Amino acid sequence: MECLYLVTGNENKYKEASEILSEYGIKLCMANIDKLEIQSPRLEDIALFAARIAFFQLKKPLIVDDSGLFINSLKGFPGPYSSYVYKTIGYEGILKLMSDKDNRRACFKTVAVLVYPPIEKIFVGETCGYITNSPRGSGGFGFDPIFVPEGYNQTYAEMGIEEKNTISHRGKAFRKLGLWLAKNLPGFKGNNPGSNITI
Ligand code: ITT
């Protein structure tokens, strides 16, 4: 069996996803190749298209994870534009946009697409909570310092990776993926002889 690749340039995402899939005995490798991202309001469309194109390049079983933060009072912004917004105005910019908003509700969503022809499967995970008034914590990545999941007091950035994984959007999507693989492709462990790829 070959390695199961996560196509991403984001090492934090890779670490989170590999920890989750390791619970199912699956070894994930990282393929840091350019992802082609179409514009769409739906993460499902963006991830599926990127995964199909990546498979043409890699020709190996792979996953693409497309995630976003959807803020209610900003009508779902930054949503599918989260990567661009993070690189440009960052979470500080989001806090400024929200300075006069009382409704702080927001949801993180992950869409993980598995492509292993003829298999194409989409797994979705969502965790809702609220946006803080100021950043807290030094762990995690991206918008973690300004997001508190429902039922908790800590931001994702104040939790360890293990705790974040138990409740996070990515945790939910990848556990569904791990369960599906265990049930439908029990021999697939993706554990050799793969290695990480950078193109
Ligand atoms: P790849 O496309 O290379 O996988 P990316 O970082 O651009 O990496 P996404 O497009 O899926 O990944 O994510 C969009 C942005 O949303 C990302 O840049 C982060 O800032 C943020 N994000 C995604 N998952 C997150 C998480 O678990 N915690 C905090 N922020 C997250």
Side-chain angles (χ1 to χ4, degrees), residues 20 108 125-128 147-156 159-173 175:
I20 299 155
F108 260 119
E126 192 174 54
T127 295
C128 295
F147 181 79
V148 174
E150 218 156 39
Y152 291 78
N153 295 315
Q154 291 176 306
T155 64
Y156 271 169
M159 300 175 178
I161 182 169
E162 211 174 300
E163 190 177 8
K164 179 183 169 189
N165 272 346
T166 60
I167 48 178
S168 79
H169 47 300
R170 182 161 298 102
K172 290 171 185 164
R175 273 193 295 278

Short mmCIF file of all heavy atoms in Angstrom, two decimals, residues 20 108 125-128 147-156 159-173 175:
data_model
loop_
_atom_site.label_atom_id
_atom_site.label_comp_id
_atom_site.label_asym_id
_atom_site.label_seq_id
_atom_site.Cartn_x
_atom_site.Cartn_y
_atom_site.Cartn_z
N ILE A 20 -5.05 12.63 13.97
CA ILE A 20 -6.39 12.04 13.96
C ILE A 20 -6.38 10.71 13.20
O ILE A 20 -6.88 9.69 13.68
CB ILE A 20 -7.42 13.00 13.33
CG1 ILE A 20 -7.48 14.30 14.14
CG2 ILE A 20 -8.81 12.35 13.26
CD1 ILE A 20 -7.96 15.50 13.36
N PHE A 108 -16.46 27.27 12.32
CA PHE A 108 -15.36 26.77 11.49
C PHE A 108 -15.88 25.54 10.76
O PHE A 108 -16.58 24.70 11.35
CB PHE A 108 -14.20 26.29 12.37
CG PHE A 108 -13.07 27.26 12.48
CD1 PHE A 108 -12.72 27.78 13.72
CD2 PHE A 108 -12.33 27.63 11.36
CE1 PHE A 108 -11.65 28.66 13.84
CE2 PHE A 108 -11.27 28.51 11.48
CZ PHE A 108 -10.93 29.02 12.72
N GLY A 125 -16.84 18.57 8.53
CA GLY A 125 -16.89 18.76 9.98
C GLY A 125 -17.11 20.23 10.29
O GLY A 125 -16.54 21.10 9.61
N GLU A 126 -17.95 20.50 11.29
CA GLU A 126 -18.23 21.90 11.63
C GLU A 126 -18.24 22.06 13.15
O GLU A 126 -18.79 21.21 13.85
CB GLU A 126 -19.58 22.30 11.05
CG GLU A 126 -19.81 23.79 11.11
CD GLU A 126 -21.10 24.19 10.40
OE1 GLU A 126 -22.16 23.64 10.73
OE2 GLU A 126 -21.03 25.06 9.53
N THR A 127 -17.62 23.13 13.63
CA THR A 127 -17.67 23.45 15.05
C THR A 127 -18.00 24.93 15.19
O THR A 127 -17.32 25.78 14.60
CB THR A 127 -16.32 23.14 15.73
OG1 THR A 127 -16.12 21.72 15.68
CG2 THR A 127 -16.32 23.57 17.20
N CYS A 128 -19.05 25.21 15.97
CA CYS A 128 -19.45 26.61 16.14
C CYS A 128 -19.02 27.12 17.52
O CYS A 128 -18.70 26.34 18.42
CB CYS A 128 -20.96 26.74 15.97
SG CYS A 128 -21.49 26.33 14.29
N PHE A 147 -10.94 32.32 18.39
CA PHE A 147 -12.14 31.46 18.33
C PHE A 147 -12.27 30.59 19.57
O PHE A 147 -11.36 29.83 19.92
CB PHE A 147 -12.08 30.57 17.09
CG PHE A 147 -13.29 29.67 16.94
CD1 PHE A 147 -14.49 30.17 16.43
CD2 PHE A 147 -13.24 28.33 17.31
CE1 PHE A 147 -15.61 29.35 16.30
CE2 PHE A 147 -14.35 27.50 17.18
CZ PHE A 147 -15.54 28.01 16.66
N VAL A 148 -13.43 30.70 20.24
CA VAL A 148 -13.75 29.86 21.40
C VAL A 148 -14.91 28.93 21.01
O VAL A 148 -15.99 29.40 20.65
CB VAL A 148 -14.18 30.71 22.62
CG1 VAL A 148 -14.66 29.82 23.76
CG2 VAL A 148 -13.03 31.58 23.09
N PRO A 149 -14.69 27.60 21.03
CA PRO A 149 -15.79 26.69 20.69
C PRO A 149 -16.86 26.68 21.77
O PRO A 149 -16.56 26.90 22.95
CB PRO A 149 -15.09 25.33 20.58
CG PRO A 149 -13.80 25.47 21.29
CD PRO A 149 -13.42 26.92 21.31
N GLU A 150 -18.09 26.45 21.33
CA GLU A 150 -19.25 26.39 22.23
C GLU A 150 -19.02 25.44 23.40
O GLU A 150 -18.53 24.31 23.19
CB GLU A 150 -20.43 25.86 21.43
CG GLU A 150 -21.74 26.50 21.74
CD GLU A 150 -22.69 26.36 20.55
OE1 GLU A 150 -22.71 25.30 19.90
OE2 GLU A 150 -23.39 27.35 20.29
N GLY A 151 -19.34 25.86 24.60
CA GLY A 151 -19.21 25.00 25.78
C GLY A 151 -17.83 25.06 26.40
O GLY A 151 -17.56 24.36 27.38
N TYR A 152 -16.94 25.87 25.85
CA TYR A 152 -15.57 26.01 26.38
C TYR A 152 -15.30 27.47 26.72
O TYR A 152 -16.01 28.37 26.28
CB TYR A 152 -14.54 25.51 25.35
CG TYR A 152 -14.61 24.02 25.14
CD1 TYR A 152 -15.62 23.45 24.35
CD2 TYR A 152 -13.71 23.16 25.77
CE1 TYR A 152 -15.71 22.09 24.19
CE2 TYR A 152 -13.79 21.79 25.60
CZ TYR A 152 -14.81 21.26 24.81
OH TYR A 152 -14.89 19.91 24.66
N ASN A 153 -14.22 27.69 27.51
CA ASN A 153 -13.83 29.06 27.82
C ASN A 153 -12.54 29.44 27.12
O ASN A 153 -12.22 30.61 26.98
CB ASN A 153 -13.64 29.23 29.33
CG ASN A 153 -14.95 29.04 30.06
OD1 ASN A 153 -15.98 29.59 29.64
ND2 ASN A 153 -14.94 28.25 31.12
N GLN A 154 -11.79 28.41 26.70
CA GLN A 154 -10.49 28.67 26.07
C GLN A 154 -10.62 28.82 24.56
O GLN A 154 -11.49 28.18 23.95
CB GLN A 154 -9.56 27.48 26.31
CG GLN A 154 -9.14 27.30 27.75
CD GLN A 154 -8.31 26.03 27.88
OE1 GLN A 154 -8.74 24.96 27.48
NE2 GLN A 154 -7.11 26.17 28.40
N THR A 155 -9.73 29.62 23.98
CA THR A 155 -9.66 29.67 22.52
C THR A 155 -8.96 28.40 22.05
O THR A 155 -8.27 27.73 22.83
CB THR A 155 -8.84 30.88 22.02
OG1 THR A 155 -7.49 30.72 22.46
CG2 THR A 155 -9.41 32.20 22.52
N TYR A 156 -9.11 28.08 20.77
CA TYR A 156 -8.36 26.95 20.19
C TYR A 156 -6.86 27.12 20.47
O TYR A 156 -6.16 26.13 20.70
CB TYR A 156 -8.56 26.94 18.68
CG TYR A 156 -9.74 26.16 18.13
CD1 TYR A 156 -10.08 26.32 16.77
CD2 TYR A 156 -10.48 25.27 18.89
CE1 TYR A 156 -11.14 25.61 16.21
CE2 TYR A 156 -11.54 24.56 18.34
CZ TYR A 156 -11.87 24.72 16.99
OH TYR A 156 -12.90 24.02 16.42
N MET A 159 -5.56 25.78 23.73
CA MET A 159 -5.66 24.32 23.95
C MET A 159 -4.44 23.65 23.32
O MET A 159 -3.82 24.20 22.43
CB MET A 159 -6.89 23.77 23.22
CG MET A 159 -8.17 24.36 23.68
SD MET A 159 -9.54 23.75 22.66
CE MET A 159 -10.91 24.55 23.48
N GLY A 160 -4.16 22.44 23.75
CA GLY A 160 -3.15 21.64 23.05
C GLY A 160 -3.79 21.06 21.80
O GLY A 160 -5.02 21.07 21.66
N ILE A 161 -2.96 20.55 20.91
CA ILE A 161 -3.45 20.00 19.64
C ILE A 161 -4.43 18.85 19.89
O ILE A 161 -5.43 18.70 19.20
CB ILE A 161 -2.26 19.56 18.75
CG1 ILE A 161 -2.72 19.03 17.40
CG2 ILE A 161 -1.39 18.55 19.41
CD1 ILE A 161 -1.56 18.84 16.41
N GLU A 162 -4.16 18.06 20.97
CA GLU A 162 -5.02 16.91 21.25
C GLU A 162 -6.44 17.34 21.63
O GLU A 162 -7.42 16.81 21.12
CB GLU A 162 -4.41 16.12 22.41
CG GLU A 162 -4.68 14.64 22.34
CD GLU A 162 -3.91 13.91 23.43
OE1 GLU A 162 -2.66 14.00 23.44
OE2 GLU A 162 -4.57 13.31 24.28
N GLU A 163 -6.51 18.36 22.50
CA GLU A 163 -7.83 18.83 22.91
C GLU A 163 -8.55 19.51 21.74
O GLU A 163 -9.74 19.29 21.53
CB GLU A 163 -7.70 19.81 24.09
CG GLU A 163 -9.07 20.13 24.70
CD GLU A 163 -9.00 21.04 25.92
OE1 GLU A 163 -7.92 21.56 26.25
OE2 GLU A 163 -10.07 21.25 26.53
N LYS A 164 -7.80 20.31 20.98
CA LYS A 164 -8.42 20.96 19.81
C LYS A 164 -8.99 19.88 18.87
O LYS A 164 -10.13 19.99 18.41
CB LYS A 164 -7.40 21.84 19.07
CG LYS A 164 -8.01 22.50 17.83
CD LYS A 164 -7.03 23.34 17.01
CE LYS A 164 -7.66 23.73 15.68
NZ LYS A 164 -6.74 24.36 14.74
N ASN A 165 -8.21 18.83 18.63
CA ASN A 165 -8.66 17.76 17.73
C ASN A 165 -9.93 17.07 18.20
O ASN A 165 -10.72 16.62 17.38
CB ASN A 165 -7.56 16.71 17.56
CG ASN A 165 -6.60 17.06 16.43
OD1 ASN A 165 -6.89 17.93 15.60
ND2 ASN A 165 -5.46 16.38 16.38
N THR A 166 -10.13 16.97 19.51
CA THR A 166 -11.32 16.25 19.98
C THR A 166 -12.60 17.03 19.67
O THR A 166 -13.67 16.42 19.56
CB THR A 166 -11.29 15.94 21.51
OG1 THR A 166 -11.21 17.19 22.19
CG2 THR A 166 -10.16 15.04 21.90
N ILE A 167 -12.50 18.36 19.54
CA ILE A 167 -13.74 19.14 19.33
C ILE A 167 -13.77 19.89 18.01
O ILE A 167 -14.81 20.41 17.63
CB ILE A 167 -13.91 20.19 20.46
CG1 ILE A 167 -12.61 20.94 20.67
CG2 ILE A 167 -14.41 19.56 21.72
CD1 ILE A 167 -12.72 22.01 21.72
N SER A 168 -12.64 19.92 17.31
CA SER A 168 -12.56 20.84 16.16
C SER A 168 -13.28 20.34 14.91
O SER A 168 -13.56 19.14 14.75
CB SER A 168 -11.09 21.12 15.81
OG SER A 168 -10.57 20.03 15.07
N HIS A 169 -13.54 21.29 14.03
CA HIS A 169 -14.08 21.05 12.68
C HIS A 169 -13.22 20.02 11.94
O HIS A 169 -13.74 19.07 11.36
CB HIS A 169 -14.11 22.39 11.93
CG HIS A 169 -12.84 23.18 12.05
ND1 HIS A 169 -12.34 23.62 13.26
CD2 HIS A 169 -11.90 23.55 11.14
CE1 HIS A 169 -11.21 24.25 13.07
NE2 HIS A 169 -10.90 24.22 11.79
N ARG A 170 -11.89 20.17 12.01
CA ARG A 170 -10.99 19.23 11.31
C ARG A 170 -11.07 17.85 11.96
O ARG A 170 -11.09 16.83 11.28
CB ARG A 170 -9.55 19.77 11.34
CG ARG A 170 -8.54 18.90 10.59
CD ARG A 170 -7.27 19.65 10.24
NE ARG A 170 -7.56 20.75 9.36
CZ ARG A 170 -7.63 22.04 9.75
NH1 ARG A 170 -7.40 22.39 11.00
NH2 ARG A 170 -7.94 23.00 8.89
N GLY A 171 -11.10 17.83 13.29
CA GLY A 171 -11.22 16.56 14.01
C GLY A 171 -12.45 15.79 13.54
O GLY A 171 -12.39 14.59 13.26
N LYS A 172 -13.58 16.52 13.45
CA LYS A 172 -14.83 15.85 13.06
C LYS A 172 -14.74 15.30 11.64
O LYS A 172 -15.13 14.17 11.36
CB LYS A 172 -16.01 16.83 13.18
CG LYS A 172 -16.34 17.15 14.63
CD LYS A 172 -17.36 18.28 14.73
CE LYS A 172 -17.58 18.67 16.19
NZ LYS A 172 -18.25 19.96 16.34
N ALA A 173 -14.23 16.12 10.70
CA ALA A 173 -14.17 15.68 9.30
C ALA A 173 -13.21 14.49 9.14
O ALA A 173 -13.52 13.50 8.47
CB ALA A 173 -13.72 16.84 8.40
N ARG A 175 -12.15 12.33 11.45
CA ARG A 175 -12.61 11.10 12.12
C ARG A 175 -13.64 10.39 11.24
O ARG A 175 -13.63 9.17 11.14
CB ARG A 175 -13.17 11.39 13.52
CG ARG A 175 -12.04 11.40 14.58
CD ARG A 175 -12.59 11.37 15.99
NE ARG A 175 -13.32 12.58 16.30
CZ ARG A 175 -12.74 13.73 16.67
NH1 ARG A 175 -11.44 13.80 16.83
NH2 ARG A 175 -13.48 14.79 16.92
#
